[in-house]
Amino acid sequence: MNETEFNIRLYLTGVMKSWTDRIDSTNQCTAQRFIFNAMTELFDSLSDEDKELIRLRYVERLTLSEVASRYLLNERTIRNHTNPTVKQVKEIIKQATEQAQHARDVV
């Protein structure tokens, strides 16, 4: 499981929120808080159908083919609905990593 898949699973299962709250109870913008807040904004902007497709792929760990057959769609359609979100999650993680690195360099 790669970092993106791991973060999506953590977010959708609610584990990310509990970990973030335990790590940082001050609500300061730590890397963990940044990722959680950005992913909340991202997932809140998705339709229920898109969230369900992503949940099936990353929490239930179904293949594209399995998700497609469940919804009677082709794999390309599933990919078109999930890939933009996955790309945004990758960017969120990248930004958080860069911010954390910058903070370490400044100190």
Side-chain angles (χ1 to χ4, degrees):
M1 177 181 328
N2 68 37
E3 184 177 35
T4 304
E5 293 173 25
F6 181 68
N7 277 280
I8 291 171
R9 287 176 60 98
L10 285 178
Y11 183 82
L12 291 177
T13 59
V15 173
M16 183 180 282
K17 179 173 181 6
S18 65
W19 282 1
T20 301
D21 289 347
R22 269 192 235 138
I23 291 168
D24 175 27
S25 60
T26 65
N27 286 330
Q28 292 179 355
C29 198
T30 61
Q32 295 85 2
R33 179 73 56 196
F34 175 85
I35 291 171
F36 176 74
N37 290 345
M39 287 184 68
T40 298
E41 187 175 319
L42 171 62
F43 280 90
D44 284 352
S45 74
L46 298 177
S47 69
D48 289 342
E49 294 81 16
D50 284 349
K51 281 187 241 183
E52 178 63 7
L53 295 176
I54 292 168
R55 189 191 68 74
L56 291 172
R57 288 279 293 135
Y58 295 99
V59 176
E60 300 297 323
R61 305 213 48 169
L62 299 181
T63 64
L64 280 172
S65 178
E66 291 169 330
V67 175
S69 67
R70 183 175 284 193
Y71 284 94
L72 303 174
L73 299 168
N74 65 47
E75 289 180 35
R76 181 179 220 59
T77 302
I78 302 301
R79 201 175 284 117
N80 288 341
H81 282 268
T82 57
N83 279 359
T85 302
V86 172
K87 286 178 184 176
Q88 286 180 288
V89 169
K90 286 179 185 178
E91 185 59 32
I92 288 167
I93 294 166
K94 179 181 171 194
Q95 287 176 359
T97 303
E98 289 170 355
Q99 285 180 355
Q101 182 61 44
H102 178 70
R104 281 191 295 273
D105 291 345
V106 169
V107 175

